[in-house]
Amino acid sequence: MTKPYVLGIDIGGTNSVFGIVDARGQVVASDSIKTQKHNNFDDYVDELHAAVMRLLKDNDAEDKIHGIGIGAPNANYYTGELVNAVNLPWGKHVKIAEKVSKKFGGIPVAVTNDANAAAIGEMTYGAARGMRDFIMITLGTGVGSGIVVNGQLLYGHDGFAGELGHVIMKRNNGRMCGCGRTGCLETYCSATGVARTAREFLEIRTEPSLLREIPVEDITSKDVYDAAVAGDKIAKDIFEFTGNLLGQAFADMVTFSSPQAFILFGGLAKSGDLLLKPIKESLDKNIMECFRGKAQIIVSELKESDAAVLGASALGWEAKYKAE
Amino acid sequence: MTKPYVLGIDIGGTNSVFGIVDARGQVVASDSIKTQKHNNFDDYVDELHAAVMRLLKDNDAEDKIHGIGIGAPNANYYTGELVNAVNLPWGKHVKIAEKVSKKFGGIPVAVTNDANAAAIGEMTYGAARGMRDFIMITLGTGVGSGIVVNGQLLYGHDGFAGELGHVIMKRNNGRMCGCGRTGCLETYCSATGVARTAREFLEIRTEPSLLREIPVEDITSKDVYDAAVAGDKIAKDIFEFTGNLLGQAFADMVTFSSPQAFILFGGLAKSGDLLLKPIKESLDKNIMECFRGKAQIIVSELKESDAAVLGASALGWEAKYKAE
């Protein structure tokens, strides 16, 4: 008989959130540990295992886990490894599926990157239910993406497809990106990118702004949002600039996969019309005629913590990798 | 019992080529008619039908056609229609699947655009055999594309996905494109785009060039090729410029679907290392680290006429649409 639950684990740069999820996508119970406490992955897995076992015991679910799904930055669906995950402390190649499965006594494990996990969550339980073609865009510290075509996650031949935060938006004099190149979408349109834009605008422009009251290196995208809501002209222009670039990028993405919708997720996606209006206007202006008016722009309906855990957990139902 | 043949039809701007194809992908016989002779689609189909029936009769194949596959510019796989095919004379919406199936007595018909048909041909019978993730790029009058992911053609939610000739390469002061926008890849990297580059380079630069012997409006990409082969510096720089832009575009496409290979097809693809070398160098220079060295650049092995007919014919095996 199929066991009634799966375990979803979302490994973020700060917290690792995990939840017991039933077949209808209800999070039965969840908890978290700090991700960065251990520099050795085995120690991290030991602590994760102990915390999960407590949660399972408290919920009478110790022998009821069908599979484990894990979402983590740079996790590869095909190989089960974390590869060059610069925000995680465990080295260049971590055999995460193998080590977790072994620690959990051979329960099957599947892994994918965090944006793909969020896309699966959205498709299974959120705004993308019933959609066969959509693009999930996560606007957080970076810009991530999960692409669904023909109802399937697009992994590419090596499992690394869907790095849309790194399409080039400025081919000359673009901003330096953490990936080593310049001009990537995420240098402009992540939360960090918005803060960079604020610093640039404040330096170039002379008019007063609420943002000038904050030490320039401390400005966050939340500060820009608050200032814009208070009517600050520079702050509103920063959102206009950000949305305009996202719309241009989305127009190019449409020529690739012609999605039914873009689903926005992450802190910046909560900016409402401040961001959505310029995105929609820019998409409409920049899109090829035959696609105009088709792709919707939708903000995720799922709680941020839930989407990643639910998405990861959905992988658990089909997880095949078992450690011996 | 399954009938032993399919009919593949490639409707190009000049010629409509059709072939009887067996289950192993052998073109048993083929012929063609002129595409533009009739402004009325019904008249075109009458002539096509007569020509096909002659070919079937000559090959004793009159009742042996399982299905018909058609590749044509702007043909939509989902709706069976030609939509806004500007190089074809039959109007904005043509119900091509319905009309062809009716004329051929109810044989099932499937249609797709010409670049997708070439991709199917390449996947079924050419350089992409066994590949589940690749991108077909056709470098002809325009730049077309057929994208295969997870072993399936990527059609998008509306059947129009894969318009990679229209990703924006220059966001400011880009060249005017037939699509109504500016800066599209195909304005630079199609055969026509190469000729435009030649005119620009000849105007801006002052050194002698073999190309200056040709009236400037008559220069074709073939002239540029011939001059480059003869060692002409400007002509070689034009290929360098073209390949550099293609490499930049391919680097962005890799962040989307991480293909195992790009397969180049069409007149310009026959330019050999003049084009391949700068593409490979530019791709290597512009690609994100985690993808470097992975995607191959391959020139199609199929004869140009065969790829489109074979690809279209492969659709015929699964064609479902039948006129009553």
Side-chain angles (χ1 to χ4, degrees), chain A residues 158 163 181 255 258 286 294, chain B residues 158 163 181 255 258 286:
Chain A
D158 61 355
E163 285 289 351
R181 303 177 306 154
T255 66
S258 190
N286 288 290
K294 289 182 180 173
Chain B
D158 60 354
E163 285 290 352
R181 302 178 307 155
T255 66
S258 190
N286 288 289

Side-chain angles (χ1 to χ4, degrees), chain A residues 113-172:
Chain A
N113 82 39
D114 44 352
N116 287 342
I120 296 168
E122 214 62 55
M123 179 163 56
T124 317
Y125 308 111
R129 263 170 300 182
M131 289 189 192
R132 293 176 54 77
D133 297 272
F134 71 95
I135 297 179
M136 182 94 190
I137 300 282
T138 64
L139 301 169
T141 313
V143 172
S145 65
I147 304 166
V148 171
V149 298
N150 295 339
Q152 301 167 334
L153 239 292
L154 200 173
Y155 286 114
H157 86 288
D158 61 355
F160 288 115
E163 285 289 351
L164 298 182
H166 296 278
V167 294
I168 304 299
M169 297 308 294
K170 303 262 180 191
R171 298 205 176 271
N172 299 301

Side-chain angles (χ1 to χ4, degrees), chain A residues 206-287:
Chain A
T206 54
E207 69 246 62
S209 165
L210 294 168
L211 294 170
R212 296 195 193 280
E213 293 164 19
I214 304 166
V216 74
E217 289 304 321
D218 295 345
I219 294 173
T220 65
S221 62
K222 179 67 167 56
D223 297 326
V224 180
Y225 173 78
D226 291 340
V229 168
D232 189 84
K233 178 77 171 70
I234 287 187
K236 287 198 280 187
D237 288 353
I238 292 165
F239 274 100
E240 191 77 30
F241 173 87
T242 309
N244 183 38
L245 273 177
L246 281 169
Q248 288 180 19
F250 289 3
D252 276 349
M253 295 173 198
V254 165
T255 66
F256 204 103
S257 72
S258 190
Q260 184 176 349
F262 289 90
I263 305 199
L264 308 184
F265 183 75
L268 210 54
K270 295 174 194 151
S271 309
D273 273 346
L274 273 175
L275 188 64
L276 288 181
K277 194 161 166 284
I279 291 179
K280 287 176 181 170
E281 286 172 0
S282 169
L283 178 60
D284 200 56
K285 184 178 151 205
N286 288 290
I287 204 164

